[in-house]
Amino acid sequence: MAQQKAAPGKTTAQDSALATRLSREVSGDVLFDSFSTGRYATDASFYQLKPLGVVVPRTIDDALRAMAIARDDGRIVTPRGGGTSQCGQTINNGIVVDVSKHLNKIISLDVEKRTCVVEPGIVLDDLNRQLKKHGLWFPVDVSTASRATIGGMAGNNSCGGRSLRYGTMRDNTISMDAALADGTLLHFGEVPRDMAWQNTERPGRDLFRDMLALGEREANEIAARFPHVQRRVGGYNLDALTPQPVNNMAHLLVGSEGTLAFTTRVELKLWPLIGAKVFGVCHFGSFYEAMDAAQHLVTLKPIAVELVDSTMVALGRDIAMFRPTIEAVVKGEPEALLIVEFAEADQAANLAKLKQLGDLMGDLSFGWDQPQRKWGGVVDVIEPAMQAAITDFRTSGLNVMMSMKQEGKPVSFVEDCAVPLPHLADYTARLNKIFEKHGTRGTMYAHASEGCLHVRPVLNLKLDKDVKAMRAIAEEAFAMVREYKGSHSGEHGDGIVRSEFHEQMFGPKIVHAFEEVKERFDPDSTLNPGKIVHAPKMDDRSLFRYAPGYKIENITTVMDWSAYPGAAGGFQGAVEMCNNNGACRKLEGGVMCPSYRATRNEKDVTRGRANTLRLAISGQLGPDALSSDAMMETMKLCVSCKACRHECPTGVDMAKMKIEVLAARVAKHGLTLRDRLVGYLPHYASLASRFVWLANLRNRSSILRALFEKVAGISAKRDLPEFRSDVFAPAGVAYGPETGREVVLFADTFNRAYERENLDAALRVLVDGGYRVHLPRARDGGRPLCCGRTFLSAGLVDNAKAELKRVVETLIPFAERGVPIVGLEPSCLLTLRDELLSLRSDDEARTISAHALLFEEFLVREAEAGQLKLPLGPIDKSAHVHGHCHQKSFGAFAPVEKILRLVPGLKVEKIESSCCGMAGAFGYGADTYDVSIEMAEASLLPAVRKAADDALIVADGTSCRHQIKDGSGRGALHVARVLAISLDNGAARAPALS
């Protein structure tokens, strides 16, 4: 069977008619444009197959209707959840049905029986958040739990890190409801074998009887050829059909990768929540010895033993979010770590297990004082927060490995072979020799307890020689796995990568049985063809993301991308860092990606934008795609929060990439009125302060509000920030004792023009602290200094460079003698740490960047050095603190909490929030206002409303404070003002400033 029934190409009249019919008869999104279908052409594999169209149904009935319409039109259908499959399971050339946006509910929950029934699009982490209050969880804890859907996990027969105790998806699936390709709805559950042969009118009787007959016929061959390891997820689960008193027909659907039926609901087995647990981080100076030790460590009955190799440790040290974890738990330079997790009935039993682990390592002759081969020991981790940090690092293994900034990347194709534990050390040693033979090296991590390591050789699949090497490595590795009687598919399924190798693994008789199953369920091969049976060659380059002829258009970039390889000054390499694993689709925790959390659209997630950029710069979306309306629509809801810069382990910096798009747009189409108003704010702010009655008139006139919305796209629902005549403009250029430690206070445009109280407070705090505070004026004698951020947000990069040139020229004398440059507004001050270095690479820029600190960072640094002398008085209240996105991205939010905790009596509570949704001018847009409010309502505004009436709301960001005021009616304070209040409450009083 060919990979597709209808090859992609130019839209035909039949395609248009199909799209029209789907739009008419299905509620939900129907997407047939090239930008949308391009975003669904890839998953986390190295393949790319552009679908004809995408349907995002609102209900199960909509999904089934879409299937029926596609069937009528002779089109294939591929169900899709989070789109994180690593073998190409969720891509095809027909109609993709995305169940993740709407079909994500718990249908029923039986707490007493520990079962639940869910829709296929529910995300694992979301399910477990809802189960937690009942003391339950679903324990197939895959590393992609923040975006993996239950339907997709069932399709793959997912396993997770704790399968040693809890088993696989199959072990925890009770039943499934699904639609066959012809629309027949069936319940797949337990079937007593003796009843299956009786003549009844039960739907599916003939199908079930035929399947059980096949299982009985092939029972001996199944027993002989199916690998006897738990991590065996290849092919169809024919062993579920062999003679036994009761057969569970759902277990045939589990692992079938959407090729047999379309799942409508899944009944799951639930488990009690894990209580206290402990980790033992076992260090090994020899990778071989670590692999050999795994078989012994599992005798202590841990719930998991996870491998982290030296490559992953080294890469993790270069990733800001993981560096503190590695520094805390890794001793020396181990070749491998085995993270052993115990979860016994009580903590005393856990601690006893840790003692046994240490003793066992000693019995195996490991010690911190031993030579390299036997060097090692155990670092005990008892503290839950550090355990969570280790788990986060471990489960991010794929993305950590993919963070290599080079053309070659670790490639998934022998990703999850599983071998019996006694053979693991020899298997990995021989595998490394295969890699060396073909001129590469590999990375290894994950499930040592199951003999299932995630193994990825580093290859550049744009090169024909590396594609040939991949083929040779696959054939040799799979042959070795068969020699050890293991499984070539141990967790991530078959897809396109492994399906063609089934005959070698299972033999022709079993493969023929697989084909019988597919033919019986789906005789017209409508459902996701080319997976498990009738597969293409895994190295067919026409199916690759980087197919032959892939090249980047002639693009001139405006930012510095030289840290990355590839064309357009490295922009290509930066865009291609996205591996589609979808960490940006998480719904809680951290900040990324706030627009996706609001809309749940693939278009509005970092992955979707990165894919669109890659397709655009490689010419796959037509000419001038980078500056097109469709590209602007793709980027419209990106709030440039920079969360992806910090939280995406591969470092996809979409905020910086958006600047490239905006610049290309401006070069091609010029500026809109709204862009001019936003971009040139620093130029007209001083003038507006002289005519505040006129500048602020718009807020007081419904007619002007409506006019501004019509001609400038500024929402009539928002008050604009009020200009004031008493802007921050001190008469002097320096305050505080002449002998005091020097500091520059960088007065940004927003606080200077709108909220001078913050700068007044900061100046007061610094002077009271004994500092000599400089307020330098522009060396050119012109208007006040500005970081250029407003120009960057409008795509006016040359203007931003000019602003930054003025900043550097003015501040460099201070920076060169080591004077800190301190600012209040995170988006402005951190421009000096980020975009400045992307716009100029000279020594002066680097010096300015190295000395730029947020107000709280400076004060905390001084406090930790014993230099901070502030007579702070008590504030007997709670302070609910919201962090600006850029603070979080640069690891600069913790100092906010630290400095506030120096205030006597102040109870500091962090608001767990994503982006506030205002994001500069974003929240003022008529076309983005609703999404802005939705972002704020996700967590920030409810938390503010719940705060006590006398509590302080603290937010350093100008935009954040305005959003809080607009959305809750409550004012928020900059940290500087809280400290000034504390000084007022103290015994000492600072002298008035002139």
Side-chain angles (χ1 to χ4, degrees):
M1 182 72 190
Q3 179 68 14
Q4 68 278 331
K5 286 187 172 185
K10 293 184 178 180
T11 303
T12 66
Q14 183 184 6
D15 299 339
S16 298
L18 174 60
T20 300
R21 185 182 175 194
L22 284 167
S23 298
R24 185 175 62 247
E25 299 185 28
V26 174
S27 65
D29 300 324
V30 175
L31 311 169
F32 272 61
D33 65 283
S34 61
F35 276 69
S36 295
T37 54
R39 286 187 277 267
Y40 281 86
T42 46
D43 52 15
S45 70
F46 54 83
Y47 296 108
Q48 177 172 301
L49 284 169
K50 195 170 185 179
L52 173 67
V54 179
V55 176
V56 186
R58 289 191 175 276
T59 65
I60 291 293
D61 287 343
D62 285 328
L64 298 180
R65 184 61 188 150
M67 281 182 60
I69 293 170
R71 183 175 63 246
D72 289 349
D73 206 59
R75 308 293 182 160
I76 62 176
V77 173
T78 297
R80 177 171 167 130
T84 60
S85 298
Q86 294 182 32
C87 305
Q89 290 97 318
T90 60
I91 55 175
N92 227 314
N93 291 143
I95 302 299
V96 169
V97 180
D98 181 352
V99 301
S100 65
K101 182 174 181 178
H102 298 296
L103 309 185
N104 50 24
K105 300 171 184 63
I106 296 177
I107 297 170
S108 64
L109 170 64
D110 190 323
V111 174
E112 185 175 339
K113 292 183 179 178
R114 296 178 186 166
T115 65
C116 70
V117 179
V118 301
E119 290 182 323
I122 192 168
V123 170
L124 176 59
D125 273 357
D126 192 32
L127 170 63
N128 279 330
R129 277 190 288 270
Q130 296 181 64
L131 294 175
K132 185 176 181 179
K133 61 187 174 185
H134 302 288
L136 299 172
W137 77 311
F138 186 68
V140 185
D141 56 336
V142 294
S143 63
T144 54
S146 64
R147 59 271 195 200
T149 62
I150 292 296
M153 291 171 62
N156 268 11
N157 192 11
S158 296
C159 300
R162 297 184 176 98
S163 61
L164 193 64
R165 170 175 290 186
Y166 297 107
T168 67
M169 189 73 192
R170 171 179 170 178
D171 299 318
N172 292 279
T173 298
I174 299 170
S175 70
M176 298 172 71
D177 288 359
L180 301 184
D182 65 3
T184 302
L185 290 169
L186 293 179
H187 177 75
F188 293 79
E190 291 188 341
V191 176
R193 199 169 186 93
D194 55 356
M195 293 182 62
W197 307 102
Q198 298 177 11
N199 291 322
T200 70
E201 294 302 316
R202 199 178 84 155
R205 180 204 63 191
D206 292 343
L207 175 64
F208 294 167
R209 184 171 60 195
D210 291 348
M211 291 299 100
L212 294 174
L214 183 150
E216 185 171 326
R217 185 192 77 206
E218 303 295 347
N220 291 336
E221 189 74 3
I222 292 167
R225 297 304 301 253
F226 272 44
H228 295 288
V229 291
Q230 185 192 50
R231 292 300 190 101
R232 195 277 306 157
V233 301
Y236 294 126
N237 290 325
L238 301 186
D239 54 333
L241 304 174
T242 56
Q244 47 197 299
V246 177
N247 292 85
N248 192 325
M249 302 307 296
H251 294 174
L252 180 60
L253 288 191
V254 173
S256 63
E257 302 185 354
T259 64
L260 300 182
F262 186 96
T263 302
T264 60
R265 58 175 61 189
V266 186
E267 184 182 10
L268 302 172
K269 175 183 178 183
L270 306 177
W271 293 70
L273 281 169
I274 294 178
K277 57 182 183 288
V278 295
F279 288 5
V281 182
C282 299
H283 290 55
F284 298 88
S286 161
F287 186 89
Y288 182 92
E289 291 292 337
M291 297 301 92
D292 189 58
Q295 62 185 308
H296 304 292
L297 300 184
V298 297
T299 63
L300 297 179
K301 301 190 182 305
I303 65 172
V305 180
E306 296 288 293
L307 166 68
V308 173
D309 75 353
S310 58
T311 301
M312 186 170 167
V313 170
L315 290 169
R317 283 193 173 112
D318 289 333
I319 299 173
M321 65 188 295
F322 297 131
R323 189 179 304 116
T325 303
I326 293 169
E327 291 174 350
V329 300
V330 178
K331 294 180 63 172
E333 298 294 333
E335 281 196 3
L337 304 173
L338 289 180
I339 302 168
V340 184
E341 182 177 356
F342 296 105
E344 299 299 309
D346 55 58
Q347 192 69 338
N350 284 328
L351 296 175
K353 286 286 189 179
L354 271 184
K355 174 66 167 57
Q356 294 175 33
L357 179 64
D359 293 343
L360 178 57
M361 287 287 285
D363 293 342
L364 295 172
S365 303
F366 294 103
W368 299 116
D369 57 349
Q370 294 297 310
Q372 183 77 11
R373 179 172 165 271
K374 284 293 184 177
W375 175 87
V378 184
V379 172
D380 295 346
V381 181
I382 313 297
E383 210 273 318
M386 183 53 65
Q387 293 173 6
I390 292 171
T391 299
D392 189 29
F393 175 58
R394 176 186 63 75
T395 57
S396 297
L398 168 63
N399 282 331
V400 172
M401 294 302 188
M402 295 299 286
S403 68
M404 296 179 180
K405 293 179 181 178
Q406 60 187 50
E407 290 280 10
K409 293 287 195 296
V411 179
S412 172
F413 61 100
V414 289
E415 164 80 9
D416 55 340
C417 299
V419 299
L421 272 182
H423 301 303
L424 185 59
D426 287 338
Y427 165 68
T428 53
R430 290 174 64 187
L431 196 57
N432 277 323
K433 288 180 179 178
I434 292 174
F435 296 160
E436 291 172 16
K437 172 184 171 183
H438 294 285
T440 187
R441 58 191 172 85
T443 63
M444 300 186 185
Y445 63 100
H447 316 304
S449 57
E450 301 280 11
C452 178
L453 301 185
H454 294 335
V455 178
R456 291 186 166 218
V458 177
L459 297 167
N460 179 5
L461 295 188
K462 296 170 186 169
L463 303 177
D464 188 59
K465 70 177 184 64
D466 280 20
V467 175
K468 290 178 179 176
M470 178 178 72
R471 178 87 201 184
I473 291 170
E475 291 176 349
E476 294 175 42
F478 293 158
M480 185 166 52
V481 169
R482 292 193 297 275
E483 177 186 333
Y484 289 125
K485 301 189 183 305
S487 170
H488 70 325
S489 188
E491 179 172 13
H492 294 151
D494 299 328
I496 303 171
V497 170
R498 280 185 278 271
S499 294
E500 71 157 299
F501 295 99
H502 283 337
E503 188 161 340
Q504 297 172 26
M505 174 60 65
F506 297 105
K509 197 170 183 182
I510 291 294
V511 168
H512 180 68
F514 290 164
E515 292 169 349
E516 278 190 65
V517 172
K518 172 68 172 175
E519 173 70 20
R520 184 64 181 83
F521 270 80
D522 181 20
D524 296 323
S525 203
T526 297
L527 294 173
N528 204 21
K531 320 294 161 57
I532 301 182
V533 298
H534 307 303
K537 293 289 186 184
M538 61 92 75
D539 54 340
D540 180 350
R541 291 190 68 191
S542 70
L543 305 178
F544 282 19
R545 191 182 303 187
Y546 306 121
Y550 176 88
K551 65 181 179 63
I552 300 304
E553 303 275 283
N554 184 22
I555 297 170
T556 301
T557 55
V558 296
M559 309 292 281
D560 179 11
W561 301 97
S562 59
Y564 300 90
F571 186 50
Q572 172 188 2
V575 170
E576 291 174 359
M577 286 299 291
C578 178
N579 63 19
N580 271 33
N581 198 249
C584 43
R585 286 172 63 99
K586 65 184 178 183
L587 300 176
E588 286 196 13
V591 178
M592 180 177 69
C593 172
S595 53
Y596 175 74
R597 294 181 184 188
T599 71
R600 305 286 179 92
N601 291 330
E602 184 70 17
K603 170 177 70 69
D604 300 319
V605 73
T606 304
R607 177 180 74 177
R609 296 184 184 112
N611 272 323
T612 308
L613 282 170
R614 177 179 54 80
L615 294 167
I617 66 176
S618 59
Q620 298 180 68
L621 295 177
D624 296 323
L626 196 63
S627 59
S628 67
D629 291 346
M631 180 60 75
M632 281 305 298
E633 187 66 23
T634 300
M635 290 291 177
K636 184 170 77 173
L637 299 189
C638 173
V639 293
S640 297
C641 65
K642 301 191 181 185
C644 48
R645 174 192 173 278
H646 177 67
E647 295 176 28
C648 171
T650 62
V652 174
D653 190 344
M654 192 51 60
K656 186 175 172 182
M657 293 174 185
K658 184 177 180 179
I659 294 172
E660 293 288 354
V661 174
L662 293 172
R665 179 77 175 182
V666 169
K668 182 76 173 178
H669 301 285
L671 284 175
T672 65
L673 176 58
R674 178 176 159 191
D675 288 338
R676 289 185 186 278
L677 290 172
V678 171
Y680 284 94
L681 172 63
H683 284 213
Y684 65 76
S686 296
L687 180 63
S689 69
R690 301 176 199 169
F691 303 97
V692 293
W693 65 271
L694 181 61
N696 296 329
L697 184 60
R698 176 263 179 200
N699 284 356
R700 293 159 180 76
S701 167
S702 59
I703 295 174
L704 287 179
R705 282 176 180 266
L707 182 63
F708 264 66
E709 179 164 308
K710 183 176 181 180
V711 301
I714 295 173
S715 174
K717 300 175 183 177
R718 290 273 193 198
D719 280 346
L720 291 175
E722 294 268 338
F723 288 101
R724 53 198 297 171
S725 56
D726 61 333
V727 296
F728 181 78
V733 294
Y735 292 88
E738 292 186 5
T739 57
R741 290 162 61 82
E742 293 183 288
V743 60
V744 169
L745 180 58
F746 179 69
D748 63 275
T749 299
F750 305 107
N751 282 302
R752 188 175 61 246
Y754 300 126
E755 295 181 87
R756 68 163 295 171
E757 292 84 1
N758 299 325
L759 287 164
D760 289 334
L763 184 56
R764 158 89 184 283
V765 169
L766 292 172
V767 169
D768 277 19
Y771 295 96
R772 181 65 171 172
V773 186
H774 297 282
L775 298 167
R777 294 168 184 167
R779 288 187 65 186
D780 61 14
R783 55 190 170 71
L785 296 175
C786 172
C787 69
R789 169 147 299 282
T790 59
F791 286 119
L792 291 173
S793 70
L796 297 169
V797 176
D798 287 341
N799 299 69
K801 285 181 178 179
E803 294 294 333
L804 287 167
K805 181 175 183 291
R806 298 175 72 238
V807 169
V808 171
E809 288 175 347
T810 303
L811 301 186
I812 192 61
F814 298 96
E816 285 182 336
R817 66 173 191 262
V819 178
I821 300 164
V822 173
L824 301 190
E825 170 56 39
S827 63
C828 294
L829 187 282
L830 293 172
T831 298
L832 305 184
R833 295 233 291 260
D834 189 10
E835 286 87 356
L836 172 61
L837 298 182
S838 292
L839 294 172
R840 25 186 311 180
S841 57
D842 55 281
D843 289 341
E844 289 187 341
R846 284 192 288 270
T847 301
I848 293 288
S849 181
H851 288 82
L853 292 168
L854 285 168
F855 180 69
E856 310 82 20
E857 290 181 298
F858 171 74
L859 293 179
V860 167
R861 190 178 77 173
E862 293 292 286
E864 291 176 346
Q867 301 285 352
L868 186 64
K869 309 296 182 185
L870 280 177
L872 297 173
I875 301 178
D876 295 321
K877 296 181 179 182
S878 293
H880 298 264
V881 188
H882 164 71
H884 188 284
C885 294
H886 294 185
Q887 286 178 317
K888 296 171 184 175
S889 176
F890 284 84
F893 181 50
V896 178
E897 298 178 88
K898 288 181 180 179
I899 201 65
L900 287 174
R901 288 195 170 96
L902 296 182
V903 177
L906 189 64
K907 182 181 178 183
V908 180
E909 298 182 21
K910 175 182 174 182
I911 297 176
E912 294 294 342
S913 54
S914 180
C915 179
C916 74
M918 185 65 87
F922 178 86
Y924 294 101
D927 57 343
T928 52
Y929 171 83
D930 289 340
V931 173
S932 168
I933 293 298
E934 196 168 349
M935 289 181 188
E937 291 290 358
S939 53
L940 173 59
L941 292 180
V944 170
R945 295 187 191 108
K946 286 172 60 178
D949 290 343
D950 66 342
L952 302 181
I953 308 299
V954 182
D956 278 358
T958 299
S959 295
C960 306
R961 293 191 295 275
H962 282 247
Q963 183 78 305
I964 290 168
K965 178 68 174 176
D966 284 358
S968 71
R970 298 190 62 165
L973 301 177
H974 191 283
V975 168
R977 293 186 64 186
V978 178
L979 295 179
I981 292 170
S982 178
L983 289 173
D984 286 341
N985 292 346
R989 287 291 184 269
L993 298 173
S994 60

